[in-house]
Amino acid sequence: MSFNQPDSPNSAGAKSNNNSLELKRQKSLVSDKNTHLDSMASDYLYHLALSKEDAADFRDVKFVCIGGSNDRMKKFSFQLADTLGLDKSEVKHVGEHKRYVIFKVGNVLVASHGMGGPSISILLNEIAKLLRYAEADARWIRLGTCGGVGLEGGTVAISEQSLNGALQPYHETYVLGKPVRREAVFDMELCKGLKETAQQLGYPCEIGKTMCCDDFYEGQGRLDGAICDYSVEDKLEFLNAAHEAGVRNIEMESLQFGAFTKHVGVSAVTICSVLLNRLNGDQIGSTAEQLGEFENRTVQTVLAFVKNELEDMLNLSAHS
Ligand code: R2B
Ligand code: URA
């Protein structure tokens, strides 16, 4: 497969690349959860417009970084190239950008996943198959935004586990008409590593549970949706119960992400920028500049963490 080069939203200087990474930690490979795949002569990853034959190009992927918005993840790709000392021509446009955008930046696969569980689930399936065919050993990071539960805007919130909108510790979906429940627990080493990085950068950061909802308004107990059948007191009673259960933030994809990555056996983490403290209100009223700064904290944390980890891997391989 040939990669196309996208337009750069901002410029990065000319730098060099090094792809010879050898890993000295527990591997994070996509395990075999579907034996039918072995008997398929070909496999077209419809939403990415990639096929099994493209997988060889992804064997060196060490991190998968995904986030909701197309623009944010495109910008992240160029920021990543800059951080890793790569020329912007090293930001490779992968597949067709119809539903999602995907870039390969050195040893990192970057993609957008849209909003909500169904959207991220399709992307996760197709990236997992791609990396399984590639036998790539990669850790997966979701970057996002969230509401805080007792955390103020600007805090970096890292999920150790995701609960559903009823505060139950599993994702439930229907398979052949029957409910299937899967736990969504994240890799504590990744949680701790990212927290340390955020704190080194001077950002307030907390590790906690995340409530993942299928909806931004009623599901998250907002009073400002088009529909609301509950009182302020009901809302606060629920959010306080969530806090009591260890929930520190609310978003919309970590449950599917955590359940999927745990089931296929890869290390993963969700890290989000808190946009507001939901115990104090519902409207996201900060200025665009403030929100940009809040979102940037998660981005800078992931950039610094990925850079350090890739450098460590290179050092290890140089000394082995
Ligand atoms: C956080 O922000 C989005 C909703 O505004 C959703 O994708 C999420 O998880
Ligand atoms: N994303 C959410 O899902 N909820 C919020 O309150 C903020 C961002």
Side-chain angles (χ1 to χ4, degrees):
M1 184 189 69
S2 62
F3 293 114
N4 300 317
Q5 200 189 321
D7 300 331
S8 158
N10 52 27
S11 62
K15 315 278 169 54
S16 66
N17 186 15
N18 188 337
N19 280 328
S20 59
L21 297 182
E22 275 304 320
L23 211 51
K24 288 282 170 64
R25 57 168 179 80
Q26 203 175 351
K27 288 188 185 289
S28 176
L29 294 162
V30 176
S31 65
D32 191 351
K33 290 288 174 191
N34 179 4
T35 49
H36 298 288
L37 295 179
D38 301 329
S39 57
M40 285 166 60
S42 62
D43 187 2
Y44 182 58
L45 308 174
Y46 167 65
H47 301 85
L48 310 186
L50 293 176
S51 68
K52 192 175 181 174
E53 289 68 41
D54 295 318
D57 293 332
F58 300 90
R59 195 179 171 85
D60 64 350
V61 170
K62 299 294 170 199
F63 280 98
V64 174
C65 293
I66 59 175
S69 116
N70 293 351
D71 287 353
R72 184 150 36 95
M73 296 321 285
K74 180 175 179 179
K75 184 175 172 196
F76 178 83
S77 297
F78 285 94
Q79 290 174 298
L80 181 64
D82 206 21
T83 304
L84 298 182
L86 302 175
D87 186 82
K88 63 180 186 303
S89 64
E90 295 295 322
V91 177
K92 308 290 188 189
H93 180 298
V94 174
E96 274 177 33
H97 291 188
K98 294 181 297 189
R99 300 286 187 172
Y100 309 101
V101 300
I102 311 195
F103 301 97
K104 186 167 184 291
V105 186
N107 299 96
V108 186
L109 193 62
V110 179
S112 61
H113 57 61
M115 283 194 280
S119 180
I120 194 173
S121 144
I122 295 171
L123 181 87
L124 292 174
N125 270 279
E126 295 187 9
I127 290 186
K129 289 201 290 175
L130 187 69
L131 296 194
R132 180 191 159 192
Y133 295 136
E135 295 178 25
D137 177 6
R139 287 175 282 173
W140 300 42
I141 302 175
R142 160 170 144 70
L143 303 78
T145 56
C146 64
V149 182
L151 301 182
E152 298 305 322
T155 308
V156 175
I158 299 173
S159 312
E160 59 185 346
Q161 181 175 10
S162 191
L163 311 182
N164 68 18
L167 304 176
Q168 294 160 320
Y170 49 79
H171 172 242
E172 182 169 290
T173 190
Y174 294 100
V175 178
L176 302 184
K178 296 197 178 72
V180 171
R181 292 177 176 177
R182 291 182 186 137
E183 261 197 334
V185 179
F186 293 100
D187 179 341
M188 192 42 85
E189 288 305 309
L190 280 175
C191 293
K192 287 183 192 159
L194 282 165
K195 182 174 181 183
E196 202 177 305
T197 308
Q199 289 178 328
Q200 280 163 1
L201 292 168
Y203 306 145
C205 179
E206 297 287 338
I207 297 175
K209 292 182 185 162
T210 299
M211 180 171 75
C212 180
C213 300
D214 289 336
D215 163 45
F216 185 81
Y217 290 101
E218 288 178 283
Q220 300 190 17
R222 281 188 151 81
L223 300 169
D224 61 349
I227 301 172
C228 182
D229 297 330
Y230 43 83
S231 65
V232 187
E233 291 75 25
D234 295 338
K235 165 197 156 175
L236 287 175
E237 190 184 338
F238 178 63
L239 291 184
N240 283 320
H243 189 269
E244 193 63 24
V247 169
R248 294 293 175 269
N249 68 333
I250 308 174
E251 45 76 91
M252 297 176 63
E253 294 84 16
S254 61
L255 194 61
Q256 285 79 2
F257 181 54
F260 183 90
T261 49
K262 183 167 186 297
H263 197 61
V264 300
V266 292
S267 296
V269 69
T270 292
I271 176 168
C272 290
S273 295
V274 176
L275 301 185
L276 79 167
N277 183 354
R278 287 296 318 291
L279 297 180
N280 297 335
D282 297 332
Q283 292 260 306
I284 300 178
S286 299
T287 63
E289 200 183 359
Q290 281 169 326
L291 294 175
E293 165 53 22
F294 293 168
E295 286 194 32
N296 188 45
R297 292 181 179 183
T298 288
V299 167
Q300 293 306 324
T301 302
V302 173
L303 290 174
F305 179 78
V306 167
K307 177 178 193 277
N308 284 341
E309 290 291 304
L310 291 176
E311 282 174 359
D312 280 357
M313 289 181 212
L314 274 175
N315 286 337
L316 275 173
S317 75
H319 293 105
S320 64

